[in-house]
Amino acid sequence: MPNKWTGKGNPYTRAEVIARLNDTLDKGQAIIAAGAGAGISAKFIEKGGADLIIIYNSGRFRMMGHGSTAGMMAYGDANAIAMEIGEYEVLPVVEEIPVICGVHATDPRRRMWHWLGKVKDMGFSGVNNFPTHTIVDGHFRGVLEETGMSVEKEFDMVNLAGKMDMFSIVYVGSPEEAVKMAQNGADAIIAHVGTTVGGSIGVTNAVVSWEDTIKRTQDIIDAAKTVNKDIFFLCHGGPINTPEDAERVIKATDCVGFVGASSLERMGVEASLTSLTQEFKRISVTRKN
């Protein structure tokens, strides 16, 4: 394995993360990135063989039993939450794989060069654009764009991260956004096709069809490739919920991996805790008087 970890809590350089991901692909394996909202999740996601761990503020809400969309709302300081999860829960327990920090780039209170310096010093190996305005649409998206909270700030953050030698793995919701991210040096692009379906708090009405999921994913990839063919392309969201779902998209597109947040962390917790508790409840007892 190239570019060994130099000690718990120390970040990888951008080139080292890229080399690690290329090594995964050279082995014929898909790249798997996983969101972690708690140290226990990160510890066992790493044990399961994930290539990257991403810390989002939404992970904390997931681990509280709420939907990931809570991370898009004004329920706390997204940047501070992600940093706190990383500092006190995830970075102390992750042994070897790169940890990526979700950055809310449109927060008007942050001087981004200053904040990214803190992210890097904490031991993160890269950045992700979450919360992201790329998954906001309609009238509200227009208001955000016009009032100084434009998605352009996310593009600028990615550009700055590259200059600071930090790997970037970013969400986009359209081919146009994919082009802009590629132009600003994104190393990996995640084709986000909508909120994950399934589980106790997954969406049921805002469902994207499989045909649309595959088409949108490939359209995003094709657009970004006009700028840079070396970007790592991953899929996420919508009906992509299980390993079989991810494989279906990877085989039908030029995708080389999958990012699992709700579909990996939340679904795993829901299923395992439910089944384990049920097993305990099957224990019979004869009451002794």
Side-chain angles (χ1 to χ4, degrees), residues 67-205:
S68 298
T69 306
M72 296 291 294
M73 306 302 290
Y75 302 147
D77 184 333
N79 284 309
I81 290 170
M83 182 71 84
E84 185 179 73
I85 295 170
E87 180 176 8
Y88 297 114
E89 297 193 50
V90 173
L91 289 169
V93 301
V94 169
E95 294 286 348
E96 198 266 340
I97 64 175
V99 181
I100 308 299
C101 186
V103 175
H104 193 190
T106 58
D107 186 340
R109 303 166 299 171
R110 301 286 180 182
R111 296 167 293 158
M112 199 44 56
W113 62 270
H114 182 251
W115 183 247
L116 291 186
K118 289 186 174 183
V119 168
K120 186 172 183 177
D121 288 344
M122 185 56 64
F124 289 100
S125 297
V127 298
N128 168 260
N129 61 326
F130 194 90
T132 175
H133 293 180
T134 64
I135 59 175
V136 178
D137 57 16
H139 175 73
F140 185 52
R141 172 68 177 269
V143 172
L144 290 171
E145 296 292 328
E146 292 180 16
T147 54
M149 290 166 280
S150 168
V151 74
E152 289 287 338
K153 289 192 173 182
E154 298 182 31
F155 304 147
D156 292 342
M157 182 273 289
V158 169
N159 186 283
L160 182 58
K163 292 177 180 177
M164 297 173 71
D165 198 28
M166 300 180 75
F167 180 83
S168 59
I169 176 169
V170 299
Y171 287 117
V172 302
S174 71
E176 294 76 20
E177 291 163 350
V179 167
K180 291 290 288 185
M181 282 298 192
Q183 290 172 339
N184 281 278
D187 299 302
I189 286 178
I190 309 161
H192 196 305
V193 297
T195 304
T196 301
V197 174
S200 65
I201 48 180
V203 299
T204 56
N205 294 322

Side-chain angles (χ1 to χ4, degrees), residues 232-248:
F232 300 100
F233 296 103
L234 301 99
C235 56
H236 174 82
I240 314 169
N241 191 12
T242 66
E244 293 76 20
D245 296 336
E247 185 175 29
R248 178 176 180 176

